[in-house]
Amino acid sequence: MNTESEHVRYEAKANVKPMIELIGVSKEFLKPSGEVHTVLRDINLTVGKGEFVSIVGPTGCGKSTTLSLIAGFESPTKGTIRIQNELLDRINRLAACVFQTENAFPWKTVIENVSLGLRLRGTDKRKAYDEARKWIEIVGLKGFEGHYPHQLSGGMRKRVALAQTLIVQPQILLMDESFSALDVHTRHLMENELLKIWEETSASVFFITHDLEEAIALSDRVVVLSAGPAATVKGDYRIDLPRPRNVAEIRFDPAFMRLHEQIWNDLRDEVMISYAHSVGHK
C-alpha cells in the first residue's frame, strides 16, 4: 500500500466515468489598477462519477475559484469545463454547494429550510415536507423539524445545511471549508456523517479544506494546488485506505501517516512560497 506507484500519482480507472473535467483551465481577473491577475493557470483535473476528491493548497491559491468555476458561478478565461462530457457554459444544474457560512434562513424552521429547494422546483408542499422529514432523520435531526436555526448548535445547523443540499439529490456536491468553524469533536461527527451519506449515494464530491488530515481521512484522492498567483496542479494523490472509514480512528493507521508525510512534503513547499510572497508584499 505504501509504494509510490499506488498512491503518489493517481490515474483514473478505466471504468470510472468522468463527472467533472477541467481541461487547460486558466482564470484571470482585472485589478482596479488595470493589471491582469492570473489566479489559476492551465488546470487539468478530472473527478470521476461517485468519487470523493479533496483540494488542498496555501491560502489564496485559487481553491474557491476552482469551485466557483465548476459551479458555473464564473467562466474560465481559457480552457474548458465539461460536466458529464457536456460543455459547461451556465450554472451547473447537477451541482449543489455547502459553504462555510450558514445556508439556513433564520426566520424559517428546520423543515421549511430543508424543503425549500424542492418547493422552489415546484414540488407540492406536502410532498416536499414528506421528503424533508426523511432527510432530517437521515442527518440525525428527527424531532427538531419545528426549531429555528438560532435554537440549534453549530453542528446541528451544519446538518440542516447538508439536508438542504442533499434533498435535491445533486450528482455533484461542492463543499468549501464546510466544517472548518466547528469544534474538533463535532467536526469528526459531521465528517463521518458526510461519509455515511456519500457512501449511500452516487454523488461526486469536490471538497475544499485547509486541513490535510481531513482531506486524507475523507477522500479517494487529494489534489495539491501550487502557491498563487497562477496556481496549477502540483500533485494528485490516490488515497488507498479501506472504506468504510472512521475519520478519527483512521488517522492512527500507519498507511495514513505515510500518506500525510508524503503529501505534506509537497504541500509544505507551497505554503512556504505563499508565506514568503505575503511577507514580501507587506
Side-chain angles (χ1 to χ4, degrees):
M1 182 177 292
N2 62 347
T3 61
E4 182 174 349
S5 61
E6 284 179 310
H7 51 54
V8 176
R9 299 297 173 187
Y10 175 88
E11 294 183 2
K13 297 177 181 178
N15 62 346
V16 177
K17 295 182 179 180
M19 176 63 75
I20 304 166
E21 293 179 278
L22 280 68
I23 306 164
V25 167
S26 297
K27 181 62 179 176
E28 298 172 350
F29 292 100
L30 194 65
K31 293 182 177 181
S33 63
E35 179 186 359
V36 174
H37 175 64
T38 302
V39 180
L40 300 169
R41 175 178 56 81
D42 195 27
I43 298 290
N44 293 288
L45 177 63
T46 299
V47 178
K49 181 175 176 61
E51 192 174 28
F52 198 124
V53 176
S54 287
I55 308 297
V56 297
T59 300
C61 71
K63 298 185 293 296
S64 294
T65 299
T66 306
L67 183 145
S68 293
L69 292 171
I70 295 171
F73 301 152
E74 303 273 357
S75 298
T77 306
K78 299 176 184 176
T80 58
I81 299 173
R82 306 188 73 84
I83 305 297
Q84 280 193 326
N85 205 35
E86 296 289 333
L87 181 67
L88 180 66
D89 58 1
R90 58 181 65 87
I91 295 296
N92 187 346
R93 300 298 181 186
L94 301 184
C97 303
V98 181
F99 297 106
Q100 181 178 353
T101 54
E102 303 294 343
N103 295 337
F105 291 105
W107 60 89
K108 291 183 179 292
T109 63
V110 168
I111 196 167
E112 289 171 338
N113 271 295
V114 173
S115 62
L116 184 60
L118 293 182
R119 295 296 311 281
L120 292 174
R121 296 185 179 197
T123 303
D124 173 77
K125 181 178 180 179
R126 181 179 58 81
K127 292 181 179 178
Y129 272 35
D130 286 345
E131 189 66 21
R133 289 187 185 94
K134 294 177 186 177
W135 280 103
I136 290 168
E137 183 172 1
I138 287 171
V139 300
L141 287 178
K142 185 176 181 180
F144 291 89
E145 292 86 350
H147 285 60
Y148 290 89
H150 75 271
Q151 297 173 309
L152 306 176
S153 68
M156 295 169 77
R157 290 196 298 272
K158 193 57 66 176
R159 290 173 186 267
V160 172
L162 272 180
Q164 273 183 301
T165 304
L166 295 168
I167 194 172
V168 298
Q169 299 183 37
Q171 296 186 48
I172 299 171
L173 187 57
L174 304 175
M175 305 187 71
D176 191 351
E177 294 283 346
S178 302
F179 304 143
S180 62
L182 302 175
D183 66 83
V184 65
H185 302 296
T186 304
R187 186 170 184 166
H188 287 170
L189 287 173
M190 287 306 305
E191 290 165 347
N192 281 328
E193 196 68 42
L194 172 62
L195 285 181
K196 179 183 175 182
I197 295 170
W198 167 71
E199 287 164 1
E200 294 173 355
T201 71
S202 59
S204 302
V205 180
F206 186 87
F207 190 92
I208 293 175
T209 179
H210 281 96
D211 187 335
L212 180 55
E213 287 192 0
E214 179 179 57
I216 297 171
L218 292 173
S219 306
D220 295 318
R221 283 165 52 214
V222 173
V223 175
V224 178
L225 290 187
S226 66
T232 191
V233 174
K234 182 180 182 183
D236 195 335
Y237 294 82
R238 185 177 178 183
I239 308 302
D240 254 343
L241 298 173
R243 293 191 187 275
R245 298 177 194 163
N246 181 297
V247 297
E249 296 173 1
I250 196 69
R251 298 168 197 241
F252 298 101
D253 188 308
F256 180 99
M257 297 177 186
R258 287 193 294 268
L259 277 165
H260 188 280
E261 180 181 11
Q262 192 173 52
I263 301 173
W264 172 241
N265 286 337
D266 219 357
L267 179 59
R268 177 182 55 204
D269 294 340
E270 301 308 312
V271 171
M272 295 306 296
I273 291 171
S274 178
Y275 176 74
H277 183 77
S278 65
V279 171
H281 280 73
K282 286 184 178 179

